[in-house]
Structure formats: structure tokens, C-alpha cells
Amino acid sequence: EPKKKKPRTPNAPGHRYQKGETMAYYKPFLETMNAGDAVAIPFDRFHGPTLAQNINSYAHSLWGSGNYSAVRNDANKSVDVLRYK
């Protein structure tokens, strides 16, 4: 018998934030970037590793592999993004 899928909740157990909450924060930073631009996105109230992972995923979908660099900077409490192309 096939496994039954659990219904999705707006905030699944184990998730830190509501669906789309981190994207609403970092998207304006990335949407305005042009080739050669760099930006430091502060962690703000978000968990650094979670924010960095989400930013990397979104940047990849926008610009593709090899066209950007996104690095978590714990010393400055930011995610540093550099768009190459």
C-alpha cells in the first residue's frame, strides 16, 4: 500500500520560519544586482546558515552556476554575494 502524504502546513515542524519569510527579506537585495555588483545581506533576525542556504539557492535560480558567489560571513553577520555575470 502506498504511503499517504502528510498535509503541508504553513510552517512545517522543524522549520524556523513561515513559508516565504526569508525570501521576502533577501529578494530585494538580489533582484537589483547587476553583473559586477557585490552586496552584504545582514543576517538580521535570521539564522545565518539557513539564510545563506536560501540565498545560494535563489541566486542559482536567477543567474545559474558559476555566475555568482555567496558566502556566509559570520564575523560580519552577513551573507556576502558577488555577481560575476
Side-chain angles (χ1 to χ4, degrees):
E1 188 175 316
K3 289 184 180 180
K4 293 182 181 180
K5 291 186 178 179
K6 293 180 183 178
R8 279 194 66 113
T9 60
N11 192 21
H15 289 228
R16 295 176 187 269
Y17 310 106
Q18 296 294 319
K19 183 174 180 176
E21 190 175 355
T22 56
M23 182 185 279
Y25 173 68
Y26 65 74
K27 189 175 177 180
F29 289 98
L30 300 180
E31 294 277 318
T32 59
M33 290 183 75
N34 295 309
D37 287 351
V39 66
I41 303 173
F43 290 168
D44 195 54
R45 62 185 183 80
F46 297 103
H47 180 243
T50 300
L51 189 63
Q53 181 178 4
N54 292 350
I55 288 171
N56 265 295
S57 177
Y58 190 69
H60 183 82
S61 71
L62 282 178
W63 307 312
S65 181
N67 295 317
Y68 72 95
S69 173
V71 178
R72 190 175 85 229
N73 185 335
D74 290 328
N76 292 337
K77 296 187 178 179
S78 68
V79 179
D80 300 336
V81 181
L82 172 61
R83 181 175 174 190
Y84 305 131
K85 299 177 185 177

